[in-house]
Amino acid sequence: MTPEEAERQLRRIRGQHIEGRWSQLYHLSKESGDSAIRYLFTTNAGGAVAVLAYLGSVAQNGVAPWSAKVALICFFTGLLFVGFYRVYIVHHHEGLFENYKRLVNSYYEDGIDWQQLLKADEEKVGNSKVPYVFGYLSFFSFIFGCIAGAVGIL
């Protein structure tokens, strides 16, 4: 084996390792994100149900405390942010897929070369912070709902 062949083989092996690691990290990141969104949905929905049950039980005694109403609004807002997150992700992924289909068709029609396809795909992927914003807004809504509920029972 020549040194050039050995270098190509080593580069191929390293490339396979890189691809495997990227796949592993991608799936780990996706699983963590999905888990976080399920958590935010469950906690905000549970908070809303608990406050609604409380409001139902105190309805016979007159006006419900303002803190319970604020908590309910916070939990519903948290649920809305989870919904916005989901909508954004669906549309973002559909956009990535449509863009990639267009790029592949252009590549097969010799409109662009392989490097242009890769560069255009990477540019479309980008690094959006929108999902993080929706996730953190949902989490903060949950925290504020908990604080409002705690103030009401003190």
Side-chain angles (χ1 to χ4, degrees), residues 51 54-70 72:
V51 172
Y54 172 74
L55 290 173
S57 71
V58 299
Q60 302 164 3
N61 301 335
V63 179
W66 66 268
S67 60
K69 293 176 185 178
V70 169
L72 184 61

Side-chain angles (χ1 to χ4, degrees), residues 78-88:
L79 288 171
L80 284 174
F81 286 129
V82 168
F84 293 151
Y85 169 89
R86 289 284 190 195
V87 167
Y88 175 83

Side-chain angles (χ1 to χ4, degrees), residues 81-144:
F81 286 129
V82 168
F84 293 151
Y85 169 89
R86 289 284 190 195
V87 167
Y88 175 83
I89 291 297
V90 166
H91 288 284
H92 180 67
H93 288 171
E94 285 178 355
L96 292 176
F97 180 63
E98 291 300 320
N99 180 63
Y100 195 68
K101 283 193 320 189
R102 184 183 53 76
L103 290 171
V104 168
N105 287 337
S106 184
Y107 171 73
Y108 283 139
E109 294 169 357
D110 294 324
I112 59 173
D113 65 19
W114 182 248
Q115 291 303 319
Q116 290 171 318
L117 182 146
L118 294 177
K119 182 179 180 203
D121 184 44
E122 187 66 30
E123 287 173 359
K124 179 70 174 175
V125 169
N127 191 16
S128 177
K129 301 298 182 206
V130 172
Y132 293 102
V133 170
F134 287 142
Y136 279 107
L137 287 172
S138 178
F139 182 66
F140 292 141
S141 294
F142 175 71
I143 296 297
F144 292 140

Side-chain angles (χ1 to χ4, degrees), residues 14-30:
R14 287 178 178 165
Q16 290 172 341
H17 174 79
I18 289 168
E19 288 177 19
R21 181 67 173 149
W22 277 349
S23 176
Q24 179 187 35
L25 293 173
Y26 166 78
H27 286 95
L28 182 63
S29 176
K30 183 179 179 320

